[in-house]
Amino acid sequence: MNITKENIDALNAVVKVDITAEDYQEKVASVLKDYRKKANIPGFRPGQVPMGLVKKQYGKSVMVDEVNKLLQESLNNYLVEEKLDILGNPLPKVDGDFNWDAENFSFEFELGLAPQFNVDLGAAKVAKYNIVANDELINKEVENLQTRLGNKIDQEEVAENSTIEGTFKNEEKEIEAKASVTLEDIKGKLNAKKFIGSKVGDVLELKSKNLFNEASKLAQSLGLQADEVEGLEIPLTFTIEAINITEPAEINQEFFDKIFGEGVVSSEEELRTKIKEDAEGQFAQQADQHLLNAITENLIETTSFDLPKEFLIKWLGTAGEKPLSEEEAASEYEKSEKGLRYQLIEGKLMADNDVKVDFQELKDYAIGFIRQQMAQFGQTNPEDKELEDIAMRVLQNQDEAKRLQSQLISSKMLDLFKEKISFDEKEVSYEEFVKEVYK
């Protein structure tokens, strides 16, 4: 057997695999011998079928199967041994004169080669936001906590500061959903006017369109998914079942203990400090995600290299469960090109900076993730053995393992970026961050 490679250009090559009869005959003979032992052909006792008959019946299919096995194994070994960095998978070149009745065979495969390039992190121009929790946000959160832990006082009729509980209905869409709304949720004076002065038992005639200030509130109130309320225009009835106002909870030790646990916070100053720390911790995660996205976009834009576009379009046409037309494959390439470019950039940076993920790191990361999930459901002190057992079960799921590995790599890359890139740092409130980033 002989394998050779011809470079078409820097991004494309053809590998030729020549297989002779000597390469596969011994294996074919062994398989046919085994077939002879097991063959069940009328007129012959098991194991006594003439080899000539076995060859006639099975010889060609066994030969084709063994040649294909040898071909794939040899090609894969060659790619590894030659350390060829390829994109996609090798594509067999169609030979119209190919003949399985021959003894010697030649196969050719097209390769798309990964480009050679450098990444200059020092040239990256990205803003890094440090989001601070200002007094306005802290004051609002204190008020929210006082409301959440306050006492409900029933009212006879809806007023400006009322919370109204009831059931939304629409027979055609089979909607019957309990909801709690305030006049702050309601959009427009005409809608608010329908609520003001209403009493328990009243049935309000409403319309879904422009009922709430936020589409998310409409989805939540009707028990629907976000995409189900897009453009939704239906009549609704709302039966009022309770009207109340909330008397804010008094700020005292009982208030602190209900929020953070007994003795964790003992003064309003400590409460405000804790709110600030918790808020800024959450903001930091959001700022880091934005930073990673911004760096990714910047690197894709500023790191220049060519891709074997024609090869990749051809490969995408055959890579899925269903073949794609040339137009469909080209469209798929356009959608995936940026992702592929960053994948190559990330791989280059990981290799150049010795960024790796071993199994122990992945397991520890999974344990930390599971610990956070359990804490959200009140399980704040799970045993190490329990965490490790859950982590091992999670990592046995290839999709979950791949997702967690991707998250861990992103975290490592963000650490690398913070070390290597000089940022234009901006200290902003959360409202300013939202305005600047999401416009």
Side-chain angles (χ1 to χ4, degrees), residues 316-373:
L316 285 168
T318 62
E321 292 182 6
K322 294 181 179 179
L324 301 178
S325 68
E326 186 175 346
E327 293 76 14
E328 289 171 330
S331 175
E332 192 63 30
Y333 173 81
E334 295 300 326
K335 294 176 187 174
S336 59
E337 182 185 2
K338 285 179 68 173
L340 174 58
R341 285 185 177 278
Y342 182 69
Q343 187 179 341
L344 291 169
I345 292 168
E346 183 180 74
K348 173 70 173 172
L349 288 170
M350 289 179 69
D352 289 350
N353 295 277
D354 198 28
V355 177
K356 299 175 183 176
V357 172
D358 60 34
F359 182 76
Q360 185 60 48
E361 282 183 300
L362 183 59
K363 187 174 79 170
D364 291 343
Y365 183 80
I367 287 172
F369 178 79
I370 293 162
R371 191 189 299 276
Q372 287 182 340
Q373 295 291 100

Short mmCIF file of all heavy atoms in Angstrom, two decimals, residues 316-373:
data_model
loop_
_atom_site.label_atom_id
_atom_site.label_comp_id
_atom_site.label_asym_id
_atom_site.label_seq_id
_atom_site.Cartn_x
_atom_site.Cartn_y
_atom_site.Cartn_z
N LEU A 316 -19.96 20.58 3.42
CA LEU A 316 -21.24 20.83 4.11
C LEU A 316 -22.40 20.20 3.37
O LEU A 316 -23.40 19.80 3.98
CB LEU A 316 -21.47 22.34 4.26
CG LEU A 316 -20.63 23.05 5.33
CD1 LEU A 316 -20.73 24.56 5.18
CD2 LEU A 316 -21.06 22.61 6.72
N GLY A 317 -22.28 20.10 2.05
CA GLY A 317 -23.34 19.48 1.26
C GLY A 317 -23.51 18.00 1.55
O GLY A 317 -24.58 17.43 1.28
N THR A 318 -22.48 17.36 2.11
CA THR A 318 -22.54 15.92 2.35
C THR A 318 -22.45 15.55 3.83
O THR A 318 -22.61 14.38 4.18
CB THR A 318 -21.37 15.22 1.63
OG1 THR A 318 -20.12 15.69 2.17
CG2 THR A 318 -21.41 15.49 0.14
N ALA A 319 -22.21 16.54 4.72
CA ALA A 319 -21.90 16.24 6.12
C ALA A 319 -23.12 15.88 6.96
O ALA A 319 -23.00 15.16 7.94
CB ALA A 319 -21.18 17.42 6.76
N GLY A 320 -24.30 16.38 6.59
CA GLY A 320 -25.49 16.15 7.40
C GLY A 320 -26.20 14.85 7.05
O GLY A 320 -25.76 14.07 6.20
N GLU A 321 -27.31 14.62 7.74
CA GLU A 321 -28.11 13.42 7.48
C GLU A 321 -28.70 13.46 6.07
O GLU A 321 -28.80 12.43 5.41
CB GLU A 321 -29.24 13.30 8.51
CG GLU A 321 -28.74 13.01 9.92
CD GLU A 321 -29.89 12.83 10.90
OE1 GLU A 321 -31.06 12.83 10.45
OE2 GLU A 321 -29.62 12.70 12.11
N LYS A 322 -29.08 14.67 5.63
CA LYS A 322 -29.63 14.81 4.29
C LYS A 322 -28.67 15.65 3.43
O LYS A 322 -28.17 16.67 3.89
CB LYS A 322 -31.00 15.51 4.34
CG LYS A 322 -32.08 14.71 5.04
CD LYS A 322 -33.41 15.47 5.02
CE LYS A 322 -34.52 14.67 5.70
NZ LYS A 322 -35.80 15.42 5.69
N PRO A 323 -28.41 15.21 2.20
CA PRO A 323 -27.55 16.00 1.31
C PRO A 323 -28.16 17.37 1.04
O PRO A 323 -29.38 17.53 0.98
CB PRO A 323 -27.50 15.15 0.02
CG PRO A 323 -27.92 13.79 0.42
CD PRO A 323 -28.88 13.96 1.56
N LEU A 324 -27.29 18.37 0.87
CA LEU A 324 -27.73 19.73 0.57
C LEU A 324 -27.38 20.07 -0.86
O LEU A 324 -26.37 19.60 -1.39
CB LEU A 324 -27.06 20.74 1.51
CG LEU A 324 -27.26 20.57 3.01
CD1 LEU A 324 -26.47 21.64 3.76
CD2 LEU A 324 -28.73 20.62 3.38
N SER A 325 -28.22 20.89 -1.48
CA SER A 325 -27.88 21.40 -2.80
C SER A 325 -26.71 22.36 -2.66
O SER A 325 -26.37 22.80 -1.55
CB SER A 325 -29.08 22.13 -3.42
OG SER A 325 -29.35 23.33 -2.69
N GLU A 326 -26.10 22.74 -3.78
CA GLU A 326 -24.96 23.66 -3.73
C GLU A 326 -25.38 25.00 -3.13
O GLU A 326 -24.64 25.60 -2.34
CB GLU A 326 -24.40 23.87 -5.13
CG GLU A 326 -23.13 24.71 -5.14
CD GLU A 326 -22.49 24.81 -6.52
OE1 GLU A 326 -22.88 24.03 -7.41
OE2 GLU A 326 -21.61 25.67 -6.70
N GLU A 327 -26.60 25.46 -3.46
CA GLU A 327 -27.09 26.73 -2.91
C GLU A 327 -27.31 26.62 -1.41
O GLU A 327 -26.97 27.54 -0.64
CB GLU A 327 -28.40 27.13 -3.60
CG GLU A 327 -28.27 27.50 -5.07
CD GLU A 327 -28.10 26.29 -5.98
OE1 GLU A 327 -28.35 25.16 -5.51
OE2 GLU A 327 -27.71 26.46 -7.15
N GLU A 328 -27.90 25.49 -0.97
CA GLU A 328 -28.15 25.29 0.46
C GLU A 328 -26.83 25.19 1.23
O GLU A 328 -26.69 25.75 2.33
CB GLU A 328 -28.98 24.02 0.68
CG GLU A 328 -30.41 24.14 0.21
CD GLU A 328 -31.14 22.80 0.25
OE1 GLU A 328 -30.48 21.75 0.07
OE2 GLU A 328 -32.38 22.81 0.42
N ALA A 329 -25.86 24.49 0.66
CA ALA A 329 -24.56 24.35 1.31
C ALA A 329 -23.85 25.69 1.40
O ALA A 329 -23.21 26.01 2.41
CB ALA A 329 -23.71 23.34 0.56
N ALA A 330 -23.95 26.50 0.34
CA ALA A 330 -23.33 27.83 0.35
C ALA A 330 -23.96 28.72 1.43
O ALA A 330 -23.27 29.46 2.13
CB ALA A 330 -23.46 28.48 -1.02
N SER A 331 -25.28 28.61 1.56
CA SER A 331 -25.98 29.37 2.59
C SER A 331 -25.55 28.92 3.98
O SER A 331 -25.34 29.75 4.88
CB SER A 331 -27.50 29.19 2.43
OG SER A 331 -28.20 29.82 3.48
N GLU A 332 -25.40 27.61 4.16
CA GLU A 332 -24.96 27.07 5.45
C GLU A 332 -23.55 27.54 5.77
O GLU A 332 -23.22 27.84 6.92
CB GLU A 332 -25.02 25.54 5.41
CG GLU A 332 -24.87 24.87 6.75
CD GLU A 332 -25.99 25.21 7.72
OE1 GLU A 332 -27.12 25.47 7.27
OE2 GLU A 332 -25.71 25.24 8.93
N TYR A 333 -22.70 27.63 4.76
CA TYR A 333 -21.34 28.11 4.96
C TYR A 333 -21.34 29.55 5.45
O TYR A 333 -20.60 29.91 6.38
CB TYR A 333 -20.54 28.00 3.66
CG TYR A 333 -19.17 28.63 3.74
CD1 TYR A 333 -18.12 27.94 4.33
CD2 TYR A 333 -18.95 29.92 3.26
CE1 TYR A 333 -16.86 28.53 4.42
CE2 TYR A 333 -17.70 30.51 3.36
CZ TYR A 333 -16.66 29.81 3.93
OH TYR A 333 -15.42 30.40 4.05
N GLU A 334 -22.16 30.39 4.83
CA GLU A 334 -22.23 31.80 5.24
C GLU A 334 -22.66 31.93 6.70
O GLU A 334 -22.17 32.79 7.43
CB GLU A 334 -23.21 32.56 4.34
CG GLU A 334 -22.78 32.66 2.88
CD GLU A 334 -21.44 33.36 2.69
OE1 GLU A 334 -21.15 34.29 3.47
OE2 GLU A 334 -20.70 32.99 1.77
N LYS A 335 -23.58 31.05 7.12
CA LYS A 335 -24.06 31.10 8.51
C LYS A 335 -22.98 30.66 9.49
O LYS A 335 -22.92 31.16 10.62
CB LYS A 335 -25.29 30.19 8.68
CG LYS A 335 -26.52 30.63 7.92
CD LYS A 335 -27.63 29.60 8.08
CE LYS A 335 -28.82 29.91 7.19
NZ LYS A 335 -29.84 28.83 7.24
N SER A 336 -22.16 29.71 9.09
CA SER A 336 -21.22 29.09 10.03
C SER A 336 -19.80 29.63 9.92
O SER A 336 -18.95 29.27 10.72
CB SER A 336 -21.20 27.57 9.81
OG SER A 336 -20.82 27.25 8.48
N GLU A 337 -19.54 30.52 8.94
CA GLU A 337 -18.16 30.95 8.70
C GLU A 337 -17.56 31.65 9.92
O GLU A 337 -16.43 31.36 10.33
CB GLU A 337 -18.08 31.88 7.48
CG GLU A 337 -16.65 32.31 7.18
CD GLU A 337 -16.57 33.33 6.05
OE1 GLU A 337 -17.62 33.74 5.52
OE2 GLU A 337 -15.44 33.73 5.73
N LYS A 338 -18.31 32.57 10.54
CA LYS A 338 -17.76 33.31 11.69
C LYS A 338 -17.44 32.37 12.84
O LYS A 338 -16.40 32.50 13.50
CB LYS A 338 -18.75 34.39 12.15
CG LYS A 338 -18.79 35.60 11.24
CD LYS A 338 -19.78 36.64 11.72
CE LYS A 338 -19.35 37.30 12.99
NZ LYS A 338 -20.23 38.43 13.38
N GLY A 339 -18.33 31.40 13.07
CA GLY A 339 -18.09 30.42 14.13
C GLY A 339 -16.84 29.60 13.86
O GLY A 339 -16.05 29.33 14.78
N LEU A 340 -16.65 29.19 12.61
CA LEU A 340 -15.46 28.43 12.24
C LEU A 340 -14.21 29.27 12.42
O LEU A 340 -13.17 28.79 12.92
CB LEU A 340 -15.59 27.95 10.80
CG LEU A 340 -14.35 27.23 10.22
CD1 LEU A 340 -13.97 26.02 11.05
CD2 LEU A 340 -14.61 26.83 8.77
N ARG A 341 -14.28 30.53 12.01
CA ARG A 341 -13.10 31.41 12.15
C ARG A 341 -12.70 31.55 13.62
O ARG A 341 -11.52 31.46 13.97
CB ARG A 341 -13.39 32.79 11.54
CG ARG A 341 -13.38 32.79 10.03
CD ARG A 341 -13.56 34.18 9.44
NE ARG A 341 -13.45 34.13 7.98
CZ ARG A 341 -12.30 34.12 7.32
NH1 ARG A 341 -11.16 34.19 7.97
NH2 ARG A 341 -12.29 34.05 6.00
N TYR A 342 -13.70 31.75 14.51
CA TYR A 342 -13.34 31.89 15.92
C TYR A 342 -12.84 30.56 16.49
O TYR A 342 -11.94 30.54 17.33
CB TYR A 342 -14.50 32.40 16.77
CG TYR A 342 -14.05 32.58 18.21
CD1 TYR A 342 -13.15 33.59 18.52
CD2 TYR A 342 -14.46 31.70 19.20
CE1 TYR A 342 -12.67 33.73 19.82
CE2 TYR A 342 -13.98 31.84 20.50
CZ TYR A 342 -13.09 32.86 20.80
OH TYR A 342 -12.60 32.98 22.07
N GLN A 343 -13.41 29.45 16.02
CA GLN A 343 -12.94 28.14 16.48
C GLN A 343 -11.45 27.97 16.16
O GLN A 343 -10.68 27.48 16.99
CB GLN A 343 -13.76 27.04 15.79
CG GLN A 343 -13.48 25.64 16.30
CD GLN A 343 -14.35 24.62 15.59
OE1 GLN A 343 -15.37 24.94 14.99
NE2 GLN A 343 -13.93 23.38 15.64
N LEU A 344 -11.04 28.39 14.98
CA LEU A 344 -9.62 28.31 14.59
C LEU A 344 -8.77 29.28 15.41
O LEU A 344 -7.66 28.94 15.85
CB LEU A 344 -9.47 28.60 13.10
CG LEU A 344 -10.04 27.53 12.15
CD1 LEU A 344 -10.06 28.05 10.72
CD2 LEU A 344 -9.22 26.25 12.24
N ILE A 345 -9.29 30.49 15.62
CA ILE A 345 -8.56 31.49 16.42
C ILE A 345 -8.38 30.99 17.85
O ILE A 345 -7.29 31.06 18.42
CB ILE A 345 -9.30 32.84 16.40
CG1 ILE A 345 -9.25 33.46 15.00
CG2 ILE A 345 -8.70 33.80 17.43
CD1 ILE A 345 -10.19 34.63 14.81
N GLU A 346 -9.46 30.45 18.42
CA GLU A 346 -9.41 29.93 19.79
C GLU A 346 -8.41 28.79 19.89
O GLU A 346 -7.60 28.73 20.83
CB GLU A 346 -10.80 29.46 20.21
CG GLU A 346 -10.87 28.98 21.65
CD GLU A 346 -12.27 28.53 22.02
OE1 GLU A 346 -12.69 27.44 21.55
OE2 GLU A 346 -12.96 29.25 22.76
N GLY A 347 -8.44 27.87 18.91
CA GLY A 347 -7.50 26.76 18.92
C GLY A 347 -6.06 27.23 18.84
O GLY A 347 -5.17 26.69 19.53
N LYS A 348 -5.80 28.24 18.02
CA LYS A 348 -4.46 28.80 17.88
C LYS A 348 -4.00 29.42 19.21
O LYS A 348 -2.86 29.20 19.66
CB LYS A 348 -4.46 29.86 16.78
CG LYS A 348 -3.20 30.66 16.62
CD LYS A 348 -2.07 29.84 16.06
CE LYS A 348 -0.86 30.72 15.74
NZ LYS A 348 0.33 29.92 15.38
N LEU A 349 -4.88 30.19 19.84
CA LEU A 349 -4.54 30.82 21.11
C LEU A 349 -4.30 29.78 22.21
O LEU A 349 -3.39 29.94 23.04
CB LEU A 349 -5.65 31.79 21.54
CG LEU A 349 -5.74 33.09 20.73
CD1 LEU A 349 -7.02 33.84 21.08
CD2 LEU A 349 -4.52 33.97 20.98
N MET A 350 -5.12 28.73 22.23
CA MET A 350 -4.94 27.69 23.23
C MET A 350 -3.59 26.99 23.04
O MET A 350 -2.88 26.72 24.02
CB MET A 350 -6.08 26.68 23.14
CG MET A 350 -7.42 27.22 23.63
SD MET A 350 -8.77 26.03 23.50
CE MET A 350 -8.32 24.83 24.77
N ALA A 351 -3.22 26.72 21.79
CA ALA A 351 -1.95 26.05 21.51
C ALA A 351 -0.77 26.96 21.87
O ALA A 351 0.20 26.53 22.51
CB ALA A 351 -1.87 25.64 20.05
N ASP A 352 -0.85 28.24 21.48
CA ASP A 352 0.25 29.17 21.71
C ASP A 352 0.45 29.48 23.20
O ASP A 352 1.56 29.82 23.62
CB ASP A 352 0.00 30.49 20.96
CG ASP A 352 0.17 30.33 19.46
OD1 ASP A 352 0.64 29.26 19.02
OD2 ASP A 352 -0.20 31.27 18.72
N ASN A 353 -0.64 29.40 23.99
CA ASN A 353 -0.57 29.78 25.40
C ASN A 353 -0.73 28.60 26.34
O ASN A 353 -0.94 28.78 27.55
CB ASN A 353 -1.63 30.85 25.71
CG ASN A 353 -1.37 32.15 24.97
OD1 ASN A 353 -0.59 32.98 25.42
ND2 ASN A 353 -2.04 32.33 23.83
N ASP A 354 -0.63 27.39 25.77
CA ASP A 354 -0.70 26.16 26.56
C ASP A 354 -1.96 26.10 27.43
O ASP A 354 -1.91 25.74 28.61
CB ASP A 354 0.55 26.01 27.44
CG ASP A 354 0.75 24.58 27.93
OD1 ASP A 354 0.30 23.65 27.23
OD2 ASP A 354 1.32 24.40 29.03
N VAL A 355 -3.08 26.48 26.86
CA VAL A 355 -4.37 26.39 27.55
C VAL A 355 -4.96 25.01 27.28
O VAL A 355 -5.21 24.64 26.14
CB VAL A 355 -5.35 27.49 27.07
CG1 VAL A 355 -6.71 27.33 27.76
CG2 VAL A 355 -4.77 28.87 27.35
N LYS A 356 -5.15 24.23 28.35
CA LYS A 356 -5.66 22.86 28.20
C LYS A 356 -6.78 22.60 29.21
O LYS A 356 -6.91 23.31 30.21
CB LYS A 356 -4.54 21.85 28.43
CG LYS A 356 -3.37 21.96 27.45
CD LYS A 356 -2.26 21.02 27.83
CE LYS A 356 -1.06 21.17 26.89
NZ LYS A 356 0.08 20.33 27.31
N VAL A 357 -7.56 21.57 28.95
CA VAL A 357 -8.60 21.12 29.88
C VAL A 357 -8.42 19.62 30.07
O VAL A 357 -8.57 18.85 29.12
CB VAL A 357 -10.01 21.42 29.37
CG1 VAL A 357 -11.06 20.77 30.27
CG2 VAL A 357 -10.27 22.92 29.29
N ASP A 358 -8.05 19.20 31.30
CA ASP A 358 -7.96 17.76 31.55
C ASP A 358 -9.23 17.29 32.26
O ASP A 358 -10.07 18.10 32.68
CB ASP A 358 -6.71 17.39 32.35
CG ASP A 358 -6.65 18.09 33.72
OD1 ASP A 358 -7.71 18.30 34.33
OD2 ASP A 358 -5.54 18.40 34.18
N PHE A 359 -9.38 15.98 32.40
CA PHE A 359 -10.63 15.44 32.93
C PHE A 359 -10.86 15.89 34.37
O PHE A 359 -12.00 16.17 34.75
CB PHE A 359 -10.63 13.91 32.85
CG PHE A 359 -11.92 13.30 33.34
CD1 PHE A 359 -13.06 13.35 32.55
CD2 PHE A 359 -12.01 12.73 34.61
CE1 PHE A 359 -14.27 12.83 33.00
CE2 PHE A 359 -13.21 12.21 35.07
CZ PHE A 359 -14.34 12.25 34.26
N GLN A 360 -9.80 15.95 35.18
CA GLN A 360 -9.99 16.34 36.58
C GLN A 360 -10.52 17.77 36.67
O GLN A 360 -11.41 18.06 37.48
CB GLN A 360 -8.67 16.23 37.34
CG GLN A 360 -8.78 16.51 38.84
CD GLN A 360 -9.72 15.55 39.55
OE1 GLN A 360 -9.63 14.34 39.37
NE2 GLN A 360 -10.64 16.09 40.35
N GLU A 361 -9.99 18.66 35.83
CA GLU A 361 -10.49 20.04 35.80
C GLU A 361 -11.96 20.07 35.40
O GLU A 361 -12.76 20.82 35.98
CB GLU A 361 -9.69 20.87 34.80
CG GLU A 361 -8.33 21.32 35.27
CD GLU A 361 -7.65 22.18 34.23
OE1 GLU A 361 -7.43 21.70 33.11
OE2 GLU A 361 -7.33 23.35 34.53
N LEU A 362 -12.31 19.26 34.39
CA LEU A 362 -13.70 19.23 33.92
C LEU A 362 -14.61 18.70 35.01
O LEU A 362 -15.71 19.23 35.22
CB LEU A 362 -13.80 18.36 32.66
CG LEU A 362 -15.18 18.28 32.01
CD1 LEU A 362 -15.67 19.67 31.60
CD2 LEU A 362 -15.15 17.36 30.79
N LYS A 363 -14.16 17.67 35.73
CA LYS A 363 -14.97 17.11 36.82
C LYS A 363 -15.15 18.14 37.94
O LYS A 363 -16.26 18.31 38.46
CB LYS A 363 -14.33 15.84 37.36
CG LYS A 363 -15.21 15.11 38.38
CD LYS A 363 -14.62 13.79 38.80
CE LYS A 363 -13.53 13.97 39.81
NZ LYS A 363 -13.08 12.70 40.42
N ASP A 364 -14.07 18.83 38.30
CA ASP A 364 -14.16 19.86 39.35
C ASP A 364 -15.11 20.98 38.93
O ASP A 364 -15.88 21.50 39.74
CB ASP A 364 -12.78 20.44 39.65
CG ASP A 364 -11.85 19.44 40.33
OD1 ASP A 364 -12.36 18.44 40.86
OD2 ASP A 364 -10.62 19.67 40.31
N TYR A 365 -15.04 21.35 37.65
CA TYR A 365 -15.93 22.39 37.13
C TYR A 365 -17.39 21.93 37.20
O TYR A 365 -18.28 22.69 37.59
CB TYR A 365 -15.54 22.73 35.70
CG TYR A 365 -16.35 23.86 35.08
CD1 TYR A 365 -16.05 25.18 35.37
CD2 TYR A 365 -17.41 23.60 34.22
CE1 TYR A 365 -16.77 26.23 34.81
CE2 TYR A 365 -18.15 24.63 33.66
CZ TYR A 365 -17.82 25.94 33.96
OH TYR A 365 -18.55 26.96 33.42
N ALA A 366 -17.63 20.67 36.82
CA ALA A 366 -18.99 20.12 36.87
C ALA A 366 -19.49 20.10 38.30
O ALA A 366 -20.66 20.42 38.57
CB ALA A 366 -19.00 18.71 36.27
N ILE A 367 -18.63 19.74 39.26
CA ILE A 367 -19.02 19.70 40.68
C ILE A 367 -19.41 21.11 41.15
O ILE A 367 -20.42 21.29 41.85
CB ILE A 367 -17.88 19.13 41.54
CG1 ILE A 367 -17.77 17.62 41.31
CG2 ILE A 367 -18.09 19.42 43.02
CD1 ILE A 367 -16.55 16.97 41.96
N GLY A 368 -18.62 22.11 40.76
CA GLY A 368 -18.95 23.49 41.14
C GLY A 368 -20.27 23.94 40.56
O GLY A 368 -21.07 24.60 41.23
N PHE A 369 -20.53 23.56 39.30
CA PHE A 369 -21.79 23.91 38.64
C PHE A 369 -22.96 23.24 39.36
O PHE A 369 -24.00 23.88 39.62
CB PHE A 369 -21.73 23.47 37.18
CG PHE A 369 -22.98 23.74 36.40
CD1 PHE A 369 -23.26 25.00 35.92
CD2 PHE A 369 -23.90 22.72 36.14
CE1 PHE A 369 -24.42 25.26 35.21
CE2 PHE A 369 -25.05 22.96 35.42
CZ PHE A 369 -25.31 24.23 34.96
N ILE A 370 -22.80 21.97 39.71
CA ILE A 370 -23.88 21.22 40.39
C ILE A 370 -24.11 21.80 41.78
O ILE A 370 -25.27 21.91 42.22
CB ILE A 370 -23.50 19.72 40.47
CG1 ILE A 370 -23.49 19.11 39.06
CG2 ILE A 370 -24.48 18.96 41.36
CD1 ILE A 370 -22.75 17.82 38.95
N ARG A 371 -23.04 22.19 42.46
CA ARG A 371 -23.19 22.78 43.80
C ARG A 371 -24.04 24.07 43.73
O ARG A 371 -24.91 24.30 44.57
CB ARG A 371 -21.81 23.09 44.38
CG ARG A 371 -21.83 23.47 45.86
CD ARG A 371 -20.47 23.99 46.30
NE ARG A 371 -19.43 22.99 46.16
CZ ARG A 371 -19.17 22.06 47.05
NH1 ARG A 371 -19.89 21.99 48.17
NH2 ARG A 371 -18.19 21.21 46.87
N GLN A 372 -23.78 24.89 42.70
CA GLN A 372 -24.57 26.12 42.53
C GLN A 372 -26.03 25.79 42.27
O GLN A 372 -26.93 26.43 42.83
CB GLN A 372 -24.02 26.93 41.37
CG GLN A 372 -22.70 27.63 41.64
CD GLN A 372 -22.24 28.45 40.45
OE1 GLN A 372 -22.67 28.24 39.32
NE2 GLN A 372 -21.34 29.39 40.68
N GLN A 373 -26.29 24.80 41.41
CA GLN A 373 -27.66 24.41 41.10
C GLN A 373 -28.39 23.92 42.34
O GLN A 373 -29.56 24.27 42.57
CB GLN A 373 -27.66 23.30 40.04
CG GLN A 373 -27.12 23.71 38.68
CD GLN A 373 -28.04 24.69 37.96
OE1 GLN A 373 -27.81 25.90 37.96
NE2 GLN A 373 -29.07 24.18 37.35
#
